Amino acid sequence: STLFVLCALIFTGCQSGQRIDEAIAVVNPTQGNRVHGIVHFTQTSDGVLIEAHLSGLNPNSTHAFHIHEFGDASALDGKSAGGHYNPAGHDHSLPDTEKRHAGDLGNLKADANGKANLEMKNGMISISGPVNPVLGRSVIIHAKADDGGQPTGNAGARVGMGVIGIANP
């Protein structure tokens, strides 16, 4: 029922012509994991500011961070979110590469307490605009680091997932 409400909000917001400048993903652990936190998305004139605040990661570890194509959280392992969001059909790569998946966000680095904070700008996406909109898709945190390899960075299992929804202003 939460997914139904989220879809109704997204549909209503987009149909009303309302510009959506703030989005949020509440990250919950996939089965057997502990990752949780918040990822905020703020539309700017030159892309989207992404601010992630996560905990429950392995201490002193690195974890791949991607936007996946679907906002479907029905599978306990996170696989219902589909693959990386890649509307242009590019090869996978790290954020410093111009041609990459729109959802390739790189890596999060956890501290000694298993907490990770990240702030980055992504000019390849928009929240609900014409450039690779992410509203209604998902954020996935992976068990391993993204090494930039094909096809998805050798990042391992999905340890956390959050659906990107309209933030309460």
Side-chain angles (χ1 to χ4, degrees):
S1 67
T2 302
L3 186 56
F4 174 77
V5 171
L6 177 61
C7 290
L9 286 171
I10 291 169
F11 180 76
T12 302
C14 293
Q15 290 299 309
S16 69
Q18 169 189 357
R19 181 178 159 153
I20 299 166
D21 290 328
E22 301 283 333
I24 188 170
V26 178
V27 175
N28 290 298
T30 57
Q31 189 171 39
N33 295 293
R34 300 169 293 137
V35 179
H36 61 279
I38 302 286
V39 182
H40 287 139
F41 299 84
T42 305
Q43 187 70 55
T44 68
S45 61
D46 59 345
V48 175
L49 175 64
I50 302 168
E51 298 172 277
H53 305 283
L54 300 162
S55 57
L57 298 161
N58 291 330
N60 302 311
S61 60
T62 303
H63 298 269
F65 178 48
H66 302 125
I67 296 172
H68 282 241
E69 58 189 334
F70 305 121
D72 182 345
S74 61
L76 298 177
D77 62 2
K79 290 193 176 177
S80 54
H84 294 182
Y85 181 43
N86 185 20
H90 293 305
D91 284 343
H92 172 75
S93 195
L94 295 172
D96 59 352
T97 304
E98 184 179 337
K99 289 190 177 186
R100 65 180 189 278
H101 300 162
D104 289 345
L105 302 180
N107 291 297
L108 298 161
K109 295 188 186 300
D111 65 15
N113 296 314
K115 293 183 180 182
N117 295 298
L118 174 78
E119 183 174 308
M120 69 180 297
K121 182 82 65 90
N122 186 321
M124 292 185 66
I125 61 173
S126 64
I127 292 176
S128 64
V131 179
N132 303 327
V134 298
L135 195 64
R137 301 189 188 286
S138 62
V139 170
I140 296 286
I141 313 305
H142 290 271
K144 299 179 191 175
D146 184 336
D147 66 6
Q150 299 306 318
T152 58
N154 302 304
R158 301 166 189 208
V159 297
M161 176 186 181
V163 176
I164 302 169
I166 302 169
N168 184 348

